[in-house]
Amino acid sequence: MKQELYDLADKAIKIAKAAGADDCRVSINGERFVEISYRDRRPEGIKEATSRGLQVEIFVNNRYSLQATSDLRPQALKSFIEKAVASTRLLEEDPLRTLPDPKYYQGRKTLDLKQYDPDYKKLTPESRHSFVGAIEESCLAKGGDKVISVSASGYDSYSEQVLMASNGFDGYVEYTAFYGAAEMTAKDEGDRRPADYYVAIAMIRQDLPRPEEIGAEAASRTLSLLGAKKIKTETLPIIIENRVVGQVTSGLLQTMSGRSIQQKQSFLADKKGQKVGSEKLTLIDDPFIPGGLGSRTFDDQGIAAKKMVMIEAGVLREFYVDWYYGRKLGWEPTTGSPSNLVIPAGKRSVKEIMKDLGRGIFVTGFIGGNSNSTTGDFSIGIIGQFFEKGEIVHPVSEMNIADNHLKFWPRLVEAANDPYPYSQMRFPSLVFSDVVVSGL
């Protein structure tokens, strides 16, 4: 299959060049996935699909377009690409749209990122159903008579991609992906129906928790929300749980792209080299983590991947700058998108930190919310657990945090020792001081 994809990409580039394109970049993706969901102890949905598609980026006469097709028959592909070149000629000029200088392709690492599970082909329909059934059964058992509904699901896929450019780049990736998930809704006082979930994602199936653990964790999280109530508006410390830290961090990340900066939609645009957080905030982009969901040796433009420290001890060091917006800004390109994101873990557990804090909120989920990329202002609803003297007192809900990123991140005081393994964002739980939490 690998050679077949290479041959097809090479053919597509030759067709584009023959049709008059100055340059061309082709991406061909193939995927097979199976997804199964259970409810009421029987299959609710079964999906299986195989797909293959081609994207072609055309550069002609200082004009650019990206077009896609899933019809890869020889004559159909030839006609599609020729029409793509012809239609690109009709667009407005943009002389900054070119392929990257080939020097940025250099230095690509050759290593096994452990993203392909060699046992993938051994999966059977029976093993897939057994996995999802065990998730649901465990969630039902743990939830007991509080269960209103439980849904469980499992997914696995095999994917491969070839990226090839007319100025000398070619690269191939092959990877698998797996997840198991459960969601439970529970009976509570009055008409309250709290719900929570648990999901685990991995490139290698053995890296997932046991299905019984997934189901039980979803039920435990839902049961922990029973009897939730507001507290009075108060300024207190909060701990944001590892699995949801990324929802707050995204307000920073969306402003760290070259596109946001060039279009004047980033409150970080003029902050490079300046403090944007406390000394406890270090953010690393590491594309070389074995088994990482975002691991790679090149990005979608072919630029060789490299490990970068984006924020160091609170100081902003780098931006995500692709080739095009680098040219617009007059900056060196880095990469156009994040790979694996890491905030270094601390030494203490959440329980140990709670004991020292005494009184605060352990935030386990967010509801809605928005973040203004131009000003840094954000507002988000929270759910979680109120704790006092280091012990959980009761769950909280229908509360809100409104702040500004440039004021919020300087109040980061500690990272716990629990980096979350089932995400591209491998963040530990984070502790913030003096946060205004709005309630009653």
Side-chain angles (χ1 to χ4, degrees):
M1 292 294 291
K2 178 179 178 179
Q3 190 58 51
E4 182 181 336
L5 294 183
Y6 264 104
D7 292 343
L8 186 58
D10 182 63
K11 180 181 179 181
I13 287 175
K14 288 177 178 176
I15 293 171
K17 296 283 281 186
D22 300 319
D23 272 310
C24 175
R25 182 165 54 219
V26 173
S27 173
I28 304 174
N29 297 273
E31 179 188 38
R32 176 185 184 266
F33 79 86
V34 178
E35 183 175 19
I36 297 173
S37 60
Y38 266 54
R39 187 186 291 269
D40 297 328
R41 292 188 168 92
R42 60 177 182 268
E44 183 180 49
I46 302 174
K47 299 178 184 178
E48 180 174 357
T50 301
S51 63
R52 185 182 289 186
L54 178 147
Q55 282 191 341
V56 59
E57 294 174 84
I58 301 294
F59 303 84
V60 56
N61 295 346
N62 290 328
R63 294 166 171 84
Y64 165 84
S65 73
L66 183 154
Q67 303 188 45
T69 182
S70 58
D71 190 346
L72 305 183
R73 295 173 301 166
Q75 191 56 44
L77 183 62
K78 182 174 184 294
S79 175
F80 165 77
I81 294 175
E82 289 174 344
K83 289 178 180 178
V85 174
S87 63
T88 304
R89 294 180 185 276
L90 304 176
L91 302 176
E92 289 187 14
E93 286 192 44
D94 186 351
L96 298 180
R97 283 283 192 186
T98 66
L99 290 175
D101 185 321
K103 72 179 183 181
Y104 294 105
Y105 302 154
Q106 305 305 310
R108 191 197 325 173
K109 290 185 180 292
T110 303
L111 43 83
D112 181 4
L113 293 173
K114 307 295 183 185
Q115 292 181 296
Y116 172 71
D117 189 336
D119 292 331
Y120 173 77
K121 294 180 181 179
K122 296 179 182 179
L123 284 174
T124 64
E126 292 78 15
S127 66
R128 290 180 171 105
H129 280 270
S130 176
F131 178 76
V132 180
I135 292 175
E136 184 195 29
E137 201 62 45
S138 176
C139 193
L140 288 167
K142 184 74 173 181
D145 60 5
K146 293 296 184 180
V147 170
I148 292 178
S149 67
V150 166
S151 61
S153 59
Y155 170 96
D156 59 79
S157 68
Y158 167 81
S159 303
E160 57 182 343
Q161 178 195 27
V162 160
L163 183 68
M164 186 178 292
S166 58
N167 67 342
F169 178 85
D170 69 84
Y172 173 81
V173 292
E174 178 184 40
Y175 55 92
T176 49
F178 306 85
Y179 80 65
E183 182 176 4
M184 174 180 149
T185 302
K187 302 173 187 176
D188 201 354
E189 301 171 1
D191 60 356
R192 289 177 54 82
R193 299 290 185 267
D196 210 337
Y197 69 94
Y198 188 69
V199 59
I201 308 171
M203 312 298 282
I204 308 297
R205 195 167 190 256
Q206 287 188 345
D207 291 341
L208 291 177
R210 294 186 305 111
E212 294 82 5
E213 294 173 10
I214 295 172
E217 182 67 17
S220 294
R221 288 178 172 277
T222 304
L223 294 174
S224 73
L225 300 178
L226 296 176
K229 54 189 176 183
K230 294 182 183 181
I231 63 172
K232 292 182 179 180
T233 297
E234 188 173 348
T235 300
L236 39 64
I238 66 169
I239 306 172
I240 302 179
E241 189 183 18
N242 54 8
R243 71 168 187 160
V244 297
V245 166
Q247 289 178 251
V248 176
T249 313
S250 63
L252 284 179
L253 291 171
Q254 68 181 347
T255 66
M256 293 173 69
S257 73
R259 181 181 184 278
S260 294
I261 294 165
Q262 191 273 331
Q263 296 190 0
K264 303 187 185 305
Q265 296 175 340
S266 172
F267 64 86
L268 294 178
D270 60 350
K271 297 293 189 292
K272 190 171 182 179
Q274 298 180 30
K275 281 269 191 179
V276 297
S278 78
E279 291 185 357
K280 300 295 183 180
L281 178 60
T282 291
L283 178 65
I284 300 166
D285 190 293
D286 187 353
F288 306 128
I289 297 175
L293 299 182
S295 295
R296 63 195 185 197
T297 58
F298 58 89
D299 69 7
D300 58 5
Q301 293 190 314
I303 295 175
K306 60 183 178 182
K307 186 175 179 179
M308 299 187 296
V309 178
M310 308 303 295
I311 300 174
E312 182 179 19
V315 177
L316 180 62
R317 297 296 188 194
E318 288 286 1
F319 291 111
Y320 291 103
V321 183
D322 65 12
W323 171 252
Y324 176 62
Y325 282 100
R327 298 190 78 194
K328 277 183 166 284
L329 292 165
W331 295 0
E332 278 287 302
T334 54
T335 185
S337 60
S339 61
N340 303 299
L341 293 169
V342 176
I343 293 176
K347 297 180 179 180
R348 301 198 299 165
S349 69
V350 167
K351 286 187 176 181
E352 290 172 316
I353 294 169
M354 277 186 185
K355 288 180 181 179
D356 275 357
L357 291 178
R359 176 185 177 88
I361 294 177
F362 180 42
V363 178
T364 59
F366 293 108
I367 302 172
N370 59 78
S371 182
N372 187 313
S373 62
T374 303
T375 65
D377 294 331
F378 71 92
S379 176
I380 193 165
I382 65 168
I383 58 175
Q385 304 289 328
F386 173 71
F387 61 89
E388 196 163 16
K389 297 180 181 178
E391 299 294 333
I392 298 295
V393 179
H394 62 75
V396 296
S397 65
E398 300 180 32
M399 301 188 71
N400 188 73
I401 294 173
D403 215 318
N404 182 283
H405 285 286
L406 292 174
K407 296 178 180 178
F408 182 73
W409 289 98
R411 297 200 294 272
L412 174 64
V413 294
E414 188 172 356
N417 63 356
D418 58 349
Y420 189 63
Y422 306 119
S423 171
Q424 218 171 316
M425 298 181 177
R426 296 193 169 204
F427 299 155
S429 299
L430 298 181
V431 186
F432 295 83
S433 66
D434 302 323
V435 177
V436 178
V437 182
S438 301
L440 294 172

